[in-house]
Amino acid sequence: PLKTWLLSDPQAAPEYAHSIRLDGDIILGGLFPVHSRGDRGTPCGELKKEKGIHRLEAMMFAIDLINKDSELLPNITLGARILDTCSRDTYALEQSLTFVQALIERDGTDVRCANGDPPIFTKPDKIVGVIGAAASSVSIMVANILRLFKIPQISYASTAPELSDNTRYDFFSRVVPPDSYQAQAMMDIVTAMQWNYVSTLASEGNYGESGVEAFVQISRETGGVCIAQSLKIPREPRSGEFDKIIRRLLETSNARAVIMFANEDDIRRVLDAAKRNNQTGHFLWVGSDSWGSKISPVIGQERVAGGAITILPKRTSVDAFDRYFRSRSLSNNRRNVWFAEFWEENFNCKLGMHGKRPGSLKKCTALEKVGRDSSYEQEGKVQFVMDAVYAMAHALHRMHRELCYGFPGLCPRMANSIDGKELLSYIRAVNFNGNAGTPVVFNENGDAPGRYDIFQYQTINRSTAEYRVIGSWTNKLHLRVEAMRWKAGDSSLPPSVCSIPCRAGERKKVVKGVPCCWHCERCEGYHYQASEFSCELCPYEMRPDANRTGCVPIPIIKLEWHSPWAVVPVFISMLGIIATSFVIVTFVRHNDTPIVRASGREMSYVLLTGIFLCYAITFLMIAAPDVGVCSFRRIFLGLGMCFSYAALLTKTNRIHRIFEQGKKSVTAPRFISPASQLVITFSLISVQLLGVFVWFAVDPPHTVVDYGEQRTQDPTSARGVLKCDISDLSLICSLGYSILLMVTCTVYAIKTRGVPETFNEAKPIGFTMYTTCIIWLAFIPIFFGTSQSAERMYIQTTTLTISLSLSASVSLGMLYMPKVYIILFHPEQNIPKRKRSFKAIVTAATMSGKLSQKGDRPNGEVKTELCESMETNSE
């Protein structure tokens, strides 16, 4: 057999030495990367055992099956013309001209043979359709020629999105999904992994660049994923190029995920560079179908490739092809002109003097067996090659059934010429179950539906690793995240983000031009996180919650009875009420005694009522505000002072008028009787009440919650203060009339300072008014000076109530405590004296004043008599 092979086809048919020709009624073209790209100057390089030989054998095997099938293209034999593209687009373009030779008319008018006869041209095979090519760049180049001659083309491996352009590549179809689907699947993986900052890496050429372009385009349209860097691997990389790529990727170290659309050689060298730069475990590789589940890129680099996620079109191993290929030998596969070269490569031997492998290798015996004497694993695209051939066959079958119905074999309409455009319409309409059991169909652009398996390269132990299926993608991602493994068996998702997510209550301040990178800014003050990118101010009556993700009502407070700010005023007030009640009881019990009568009983009771109200208002000021409490506050806030100072003003005015009248005549002035004094006092009080009632009419009392009073910089300390709707101005107006009475009373006290001591309380009233003025002068700066304080409610309420209580205490202490002391402890001084006339009284008072100026003071009995006599005559 060896001898027979050596003397066969290469000598017999030299014109087909670089192609395979199978005779048939209908000839299909085939383009396969039998050899790799050659070095500079040579078009072809090393033989590709899997991508080249496996795939072209798959085409021939599929043709054999179809020719044997009695139902598919019955009585019609398919043939083939298979060419080597050498993985180079320009070389493939030259080779593909073979397919269009039959359609080019040769002009032989100027050509003559040596004997003068016209030339006889060998009629070339007419190609009706082409299976291929593999690389997208090759398919693009070839498609531009084939469309000119209307020859349909079905690719088994070209996935560039550019080929989906039906206006430019209208005769191109493919049984593999375009990279736009693959890019979408990879984007879905990135999103499922919660990565938003990735880099891309592409091999120069249509496949790599268009794949990355599709991924970038999807990232722009969907948002949420930003591209840190887009790097390109040159076709002819210089020394150190891959180390440079790794260093550039590390410039954006947060973008750990690297999306790769690269050929397997570039993948292997990138992984090797990462390993050399001690970046094992840093990068998170996401590989396209060019990586898939291939072993060659990861051999010896298991650790640096660990965790890589790869994608591969759903496929299945064709068992029938395995049996077919394992049975191939030099004797039964003479139709494959490259099989001898494969034999040498596969079994590492040399086929005699004509062998292509140099060196002193062992000679081939031709008895070697594939799968027994060499390793064998079916190449991944075998299924798609067979599906492409079957798609063409199904289209031809349907075309034959419609154009040659009932005609055995080819009818004239198909035998003479098959319209490529018509055949294309049948190709786009095919629908059959392929070798994987899934439908083979094409959309309007000639693309197959996207169906992918998703793998992860997982380290099983320190020495072994393998690809494991972790999900699938069929228009939608189905990913088993729990099945994923990272370094040291860790199942937690590694990050690839530019910025960590902001915490609750923080907004994103996006870096200009990079929406996935941001700085986190805390929503300060009364602002809350309204959205991912903005903080908004809470409504005035609300404050941010603990997380600053929403607003909650500000707590409402009021002055509580147990507060220290309330306890002190209440204590003082209670003591004052007890003391006032004691004085009132004492005066009532000794109502007809000279001391009580001399002090003016009616006015004393009015004054004591005012003092009592000044103490009692404390309870209204501290009580929880409601409409009733607010109403009583308005009424009694100034009423107690008004009672007190109206009575004192009437008294001082009476004394002043008596002594001024006494200087002029002996007749008593008018309106000095107790009844007159009461009328005057209540007239003054009625002015206060009238003002309060007007206030009620203009602005009915109600409660408000003041959120500004305790609106601190720290919202957690903010409180709303429940209070009566009494502004500072209203308060001053309410107290203003009482203060006016107090000032007037003080003026009269100053005028009557020359009245003899103890005469009708002129001097005690004077001291009372001086002290009261001091108290209220101190009250004003304290009250209004704390208007901006957070403790304003407490300070102002306490200051006001204590000022009122102190004013009342001064009046009670100076005007009534000495009298009570005499009544209780010196009753001998509380006895009636003889009555004298008004003239005698004034004369005595005048003499008393003169004696006082000389220093000869009358005894206490004389003073008491003067006071008592004055009150008696007045009555």
Side-chain angles (χ1 to χ4, degrees):
L2 177 59
K3 185 176 180 181
T4 304
W5 174 267
L6 294 174
L7 296 175
S8 63
D9 282 6
Q11 307 297 328
E15 74 253 42
Y16 299 126
H18 296 291
S19 67
I20 296 173
R21 184 175 184 275
L22 302 178
D23 291 328
D25 300 323
I26 297 175
I27 306 299
L28 301 181
L31 292 172
F32 295 92
V34 180
H35 293 87
S36 63
R37 179 193 298 266
D39 294 331
R40 294 182 180 180
T42 58
C44 301
E46 296 294 324
L47 181 78
K48 288 189 172 183
K49 294 193 298 180
E50 289 83 13
K51 285 189 173 183
I53 301 301
H54 282 206
R55 292 178 181 179
L56 72 86
E57 286 288 350
M59 179 175 177
M60 293 192 293
F61 175 60
I63 289 174
D64 292 344
L65 293 178
I66 293 167
N67 289 338
K68 293 175 185 177
D69 194 332
S70 60
E71 295 184 358
L72 185 60
L73 290 175
N75 302 314
I76 298 175
T77 304
L78 286 181
R81 184 73 183 274
I82 301 173
L83 305 176
D84 180 9
T85 66
C86 290
S87 306
R88 187 186 294 272
D89 49 5
T90 53
Y91 183 79
L93 180 61
E94 295 173 10
Q95 292 293 299
S96 64
L97 292 175
T98 304
F99 297 147
V100 299
Q101 283 178 354
L103 301 174
I104 300 175
E105 294 184 1
R106 300 190 182 187
D107 184 8
T109 56
D110 296 333
V111 180
R112 288 289 183 271
C113 295
N115 59 5
D117 293 335
I120 299 173
F121 294 103
T122 303
K123 188 177 181 180
D125 295 323
K126 187 173 182 180
I127 308 299
V128 300
V130 175
I131 306 300
S136 295
S137 57
V138 174
S139 287
I140 288 171
M141 190 72 78
V142 172
N144 285 316
I145 289 294
L146 296 181
R147 73 183 294 266
L148 296 177
F149 296 92
K150 295 182 173 57
I151 299 176
Q153 173 187 2
I154 302 178
S155 173
Y156 50 83
S158 298
T159 56
E162 184 180 350
L163 288 164
S164 295
D165 186 351
N166 203 37
T167 60
R168 294 178 59 194
Y169 307 104
D170 45 344
F171 280 81
F172 177 85
S173 304
R174 48 186 160 189
V175 291
V176 289
D179 287 335
S180 54
Y181 293 161
Q182 184 175 196
Q184 182 63 61
M186 296 171 81
M187 175 60 69
D188 290 347
I189 292 170
V190 167
T191 304
M193 299 298 292
Q194 299 174 18
W195 297 337
N196 67 3
Y197 198 50
V198 301
S199 295
T200 62
L201 186 58
S203 292
E204 187 176 3
N206 284 98
Y207 172 77
E209 293 178 41
S210 59
V212 164
E213 184 181 348
F215 183 87
V216 172
Q217 182 63 28
I218 292 170
S219 73
R220 288 181 185 145
E221 291 173 357
T222 59
V225 176
C226 298
I227 309 301
Q229 294 191 76
S230 285
L231 305 182
K232 189 187 299 183
I233 302 170
R235 291 182 190 272
E236 306 291 342
R238 296 188 298 271
S239 176
E241 186 71 37
F242 290 92
D243 291 320
K244 180 181 176 182
I245 287 172
I246 294 299
R247 287 194 296 271
R248 286 197 60 188
L249 288 173
L250 288 173
E251 290 175 4
T252 51
S253 57
N254 284 349
R256 294 177 60 192
V258 180
I259 311 302
M260 297 182 71
F261 283 86
N263 60 57
E264 57 186 281
D265 291 335
D266 288 343
I267 293 169
R268 178 175 50 78
R269 287 182 283 185
V270 167
L271 294 176
D272 186 50
K275 184 179 178 181
R276 283 197 308 274
N277 286 271
N278 297 319
Q279 295 303 319
T280 299
H282 174 75
F283 292 110
L284 306 168
W285 311 107
V286 182
S288 62
D289 61 349
S290 59
W291 185 338
S293 58
K294 294 174 184 172
I295 298 300
S296 57
V298 297
I299 291 177
Q301 300 176 135
E302 289 80 5
R303 289 191 61 207
V304 73
I309 300 171
T310 60
I311 189 171
L312 197 61
K314 260 187 190 301
R315 65 188 187 191
T316 185
S317 181
V318 183
D319 295 335
F321 177 79
D322 289 339
R323 293 190 296 270
Y324 162 80
F325 195 79
R326 285 192 174 101
S327 69
R328 297 298 88 192
S329 66
L330 291 172
S331 59
N332 66 13
N333 200 26
R334 294 172 63 188
R335 63 184 181 180
N336 186 347
V337 297
W338 296 290
F339 200 68
E341 188 179 351
F342 166 79
W343 199 268
E344 288 183 325
E345 183 77 26
N346 193 53
F347 297 109
N348 199 24
C349 61
K350 185 177 180 181
L351 285 169
M353 59 181 294
H354 296 283
K356 292 192 176 184
R357 289 176 63 85
S360 57
L361 297 173
K362 66 177 182 178
K363 290 186 177 181
C364 302
T365 65
L367 299 176
E368 294 89 355
K369 189 172 179 61
V370 175
R372 184 191 68 187
D373 301 316
S374 66
S375 62
Y376 167 76
E377 183 179 354
Q378 185 180 125
E379 199 275 331
K381 294 291 194 300
V382 164
Q383 168 212 328
F384 297 110
V385 173
M386 295 182 67
D387 284 346
V389 176
Y390 267 88
M392 192 71 77
H394 277 279
L396 288 167
H397 177 80
R398 187 175 175 186
M399 186 178 187
H400 177 267
R401 190 175 59 188
E402 293 187 7
L403 299 182
C404 307
Y405 183 76
F407 197 96
L410 292 178
C411 63
R413 289 187 64 182
M414 291 186 68
N416 297 329
S417 175
I418 294 178
D419 186 346
K421 192 168 185 179
E422 194 172 0
L423 176 59
L424 176 66
S425 65
Y426 287 106
I427 290 173
R428 296 289 173 86
V430 299
N431 188 341
F432 65 96
N433 283 335
N435 287 278
T438 54
V440 175
V441 293
F442 301 102
N443 65 12
E444 66 277 5
N445 296 322
D447 294 329
R451 288 187 287 263
Y452 298 96
D453 283 323
I454 300 168
F455 298 86
Q456 187 183 35
Y457 190 63
Q458 297 182 358
T459 303
I460 308 303
N461 51 51
R462 291 186 177 181
S463 59
T464 61
E466 67 178 18
Y467 292 98
R468 289 189 174 178
V469 177
I470 57 169
S472 62
W473 190 92
T474 307
N475 297 323
K476 184 179 180 182
L477 179 66
H478 303 278
L479 188 66
R480 293 185 292 115
V481 177
E482 69 279 359
M484 304 180 79
R485 292 293 178 270
W486 307 96
K487 58 182 180 180
D490 185 12
S491 59
S492 61
L493 297 180
S496 181
V497 295
C498 181
S499 304
I500 60 173
C502 293
R503 293 175 295 180
E506 295 179 341
R507 76 175 184 95
K508 291 180 180 177
K509 186 177 182 182
V510 178
V511 177
K512 188 175 181 180
V514 190
C516 298
C517 299
W518 58 78
H519 304 294
C520 295
E521 287 188 350
R522 182 79 172 166
C523 295
E524 298 293 346
Y526 288 83
H527 291 79
Y528 72 100
Q529 183 186 355
S531 68
E532 192 176 5
F533 303 99
S534 65
C535 296
E536 291 185 5
L537 188 65
C538 284
Y540 193 67
E541 70 280 2
M542 304 184 85
R543 67 181 183 186
D545 59 18
N547 293 328
R548 288 187 175 268
T549 54
C551 298
V552 295
I554 294 175
I556 298 174
I557 61 168
K558 55 184 178 60
L559 186 57
E560 302 292 344
W561 292 102
H562 57 268
S563 169
W565 295 99
V567 170
V568 174
V570 167
F571 179 73
I572 295 173
S573 180
M574 289 181 68
L575 290 179
I577 288 172
I578 292 171
T580 305
S581 300
F582 178 74
V583 170
I584 292 173
V585 170
T586 302
F587 265 51
V588 170
R589 291 184 63 186
H590 301 84
N591 192 51
D592 292 325
T593 59
I595 292 294
V596 175
R597 295 179 66 186
S599 63
R601 288 174 296 185
E602 295 80 3
M603 297 304 295
S604 291
Y605 291 135
V606 172
L607 182 56
L608 287 170
T609 300
I611 292 172
F612 183 89
L613 291 176
C614 286
Y615 285 123
I617 193 64
T618 297
F619 297 94
L620 286 174
M621 297 302 294
I622 295 173
D626 56 35
V627 175
V629 170
C630 293
S631 300
F632 284 119
R633 281 189 189 179
R634 287 191 182 188
I635 295 171
F636 292 105
L637 182 59
L639 193 60
M641 290 178 64
C642 188
F643 263 80
S644 299
Y645 300 129
L648 288 176
L649 176 59
T650 304
K651 277 194 171 190
T652 53
N653 175 263
R654 175 173 175 258
I655 295 170
H656 177 263
R657 286 190 296 113
I658 288 173
F659 282 93
E660 287 299 315
Q661 182 69 21
K663 293 177 183 178
K664 298 175 183 178
S665 67
V666 295
T667 59
R670 300 173 60 190
F671 309 119
I672 61 172
S673 66
S676 300
Q677 297 299 296
L678 286 175
V679 170
I680 294 171
T681 299
F682 282 108
S683 297
L684 294 173
I685 293 171
S686 64
V687 175
Q688 171 74 19
L689 291 174
L690 179 62
V692 169
F693 291 140
V694 172
W695 187 9
F696 269 73
V698 173
D699 182 19
H702 59 277
T703 60
V704 293
V705 179
D706 187 352
Y707 293 100
E709 184 172 315
Q710 294 198 25
R711 195 174 179 83
T712 57
Q713 289 187 345
D714 180 9
T716 58
S717 303
R719 299 291 185 271
V721 180
L722 179 63
K723 60 198 309 188
C724 292
D725 186 25
I726 302 176
S727 64
D728 291 345
L729 179 62
S730 300
L731 179 69
I732 292 302
C733 291
S734 178
L735 296 175
Y737 180 66
S738 299
I739 292 172
L740 176 63
L741 294 178
M742 180 183 69
V743 171
T744 307
C745 188
T746 304
V747 170
Y748 275 109
I750 294 170
K751 286 184 177 182
T752 58
R753 66 185 181 279
V755 174
E757 281 187 56
T758 73
F759 184 80
N760 210 353
E761 306 168 311
K763 291 292 176 64
I765 289 173
F767 290 134
T768 298
M769 299 317 301
Y770 305 151
T771 306
T772 303
C773 286
I774 292 170
I775 291 171
W776 286 98
L777 284 174
F779 160 79
I780 290 173
I782 294 173
F783 187 87
F784 292 100
T786 58
S787 60
Q788 302 302 319
S789 171
E791 306 292 331
R792 172 186 174 186
M793 176 188 68
Y794 305 113
I795 295 173
Q796 291 188 344
T797 302
T798 302
T799 302
L800 179 60
T801 53
I802 289 179
S803 296
L804 288 168
S805 295
L806 287 177
S807 299
S809 299
V810 168
S811 299
L812 186 67
M814 289 191 173
L815 297 178
Y816 291 102
M817 284 307 172
K819 293 180 175 58
V820 172
Y821 176 77
I822 291 172
I823 291 171
L824 297 179
F825 300 105
H826 293 283
E828 70 279 2
Q829 296 182 14
N830 192 16
I831 54 175
K833 303 295 181 179
R834 61 185 178 86
K835 294 182 180 180
R836 286 187 282 182
S837 66
F838 175 76
K839 182 178 180 180
I841 293 170
V842 174
T843 302
T846 304
M847 291 299 296
S848 175
K850 291 178 180 179
L851 290 173
S852 297
Q853 290 173 4
K854 293 179 180 180
D856 299 327
R857 301 173 63 87
N859 58 32
E861 290 181 0
V862 174
K863 296 174 187 176
T864 304
E865 181 186 354
L866 285 170
C867 294
E868 181 186 348
S869 300
M870 187 68 219
E871 290 299 324
T872 304
N873 280 279
S874 297
E875 292 173 7

